[in-house]
């Protein structure tokens, strides 16, 4: 099993132990992948989210997956892009790390991510991909769990940017890692 891969698909159809939701700080649902996950999981997801008291940007909280194939949903509010000078990169990296840490603590083996903040939150895709891949690869280098992480891109265009970024930084051996 490849430790990390980039695929095209609908994350609500994922059978990973956990899928990550690109949420907002209220955790009370929204549009984009947040809306899709809530629709697929059913109303019990919102009911559980209501008990969580929201979530800070860059942090993560875990719930059951309910009607989803995934057993869990890890909710993380990504940063809203404001031009890049307001700590967006650090907050985005923190989203990925927080989700992976929660998954590892829970002993989860497989985790699927959407491309956090690159939709409604307007984070430029090439920059978000660079931050995401570094955060994921650094975490996997230092931890045994999760055993498999996938970036589930909703479109081929998104996947192309992640693959180009992967090839730029991670193709070949480890010596050229950023
Ligand atoms: N599967 C996988 N990826 C998806 C899916 C899906 N079913 N639906 C959308 N996406 C992708 C988008 O194409 C984008 O690449 O998820 C990525 C993140 O986009 P958004 O869902 O808009 O999330 P984000 O940019 O982080 O904005 C979060 O939007 O939905 C609201 O409540 C949410 O306020 C929060 C904000």
């Amino acid at each position: 099993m490849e430790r990390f891969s980039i695929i095209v698909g609908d994350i609500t159809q994922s059978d990973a132990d956990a899928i990550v939701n690109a949420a907002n700080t209220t955790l009370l649902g929204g549009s984009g992948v947040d809306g899709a996950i809530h629709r697929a999981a059913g109303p019990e997801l919102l009911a559980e989210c209501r008990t969580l008291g929201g979530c800070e940007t860059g942090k993560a909280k875990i719930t059951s997956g309910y009607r989803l194939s995934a057993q869990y949903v890890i909710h993380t509010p990504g940063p809203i892009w404001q031009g890049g000078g307001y700590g967006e990169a650090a907050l985005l990296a923190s989203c990925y790390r927080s989700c992976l840490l929660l998954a590892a603590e829970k002993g989860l083996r497989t985790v699927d991510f959407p491309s956090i903040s690159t939709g409604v939150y307007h984070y430029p895709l090439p920059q978000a991909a660079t931050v995401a891949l570094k955060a994921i690869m650094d975490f996997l280098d230092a931890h045994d769990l999760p055993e498999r992480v996938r970036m589930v891109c909703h479109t081929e265009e998104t996947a192309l940017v992640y693959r180009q970024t992967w090839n730029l930084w991670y193709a070949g051996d480890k010596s050229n890692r950023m």
Side-chain angles (χ1 to χ4, degrees), residues 9-15 19 32-41 67-70 152 154:
D10 173 355
I11 202 166
T12 66
Q13 304 305 305
S14 164
D15 61 356
I19 62 169
V33 72
D34 194 3
I37 288 173
H38 274 273
R39 277 193 300 279
R67 297 176 193 170
L68 291 165
S69 304
V152 181
H154 208 207

Side-chain angles (χ1 to χ4, degrees), residues 63-124:
T63 66
S64 296
Y66 299 103
R67 297 176 193 170
L68 291 165
S69 304
Q71 203 180 347
Y72 298 99
V73 180
I74 299 176
H75 306 262
T76 187
I80 296 170
W81 181 254
Q82 302 175 77
Y86 296 85
E88 296 99 317
L91 283 168
L92 185 60
S94 174
C95 284
Y96 286 96
R97 251 196 326 274
S98 301
C99 292
L100 290 168
L101 204 53
L102 255 182
E105 285 166 356
K106 208 139 177 91
L108 304 185
R109 294 178 48 253
T110 57
V111 177
D112 281 352
F113 281 97
S115 175
I116 299 167
S117 282
T118 61
V120 167
Y121 282 178
H122 298 301
Y123 205 119

Side-chain angles (χ1 to χ4, degrees), residues 52-64:
L52 299 178
C55 185
E56 279 176 58
T57 299
K59 301 269 193 295
K61 290 190 178 177
I62 192 166
T63 66
S64 296

Side-chain angles (χ1 to χ4, degrees), residues 36-37 43 52 63 68 89 95 120 130-133 138 146-149 153 157 163 167 175:
I37 288 173
L52 299 178
T63 66
L68 291 165
C95 284
V120 167
T130 301
V131 170
L133 293 181
D138 286 355
E147 292 167 357
R148 187 198 80 191
V149 174
C153 301
E157 292 76 22
R163 291 186 181 125
N167 290 330
S175 61

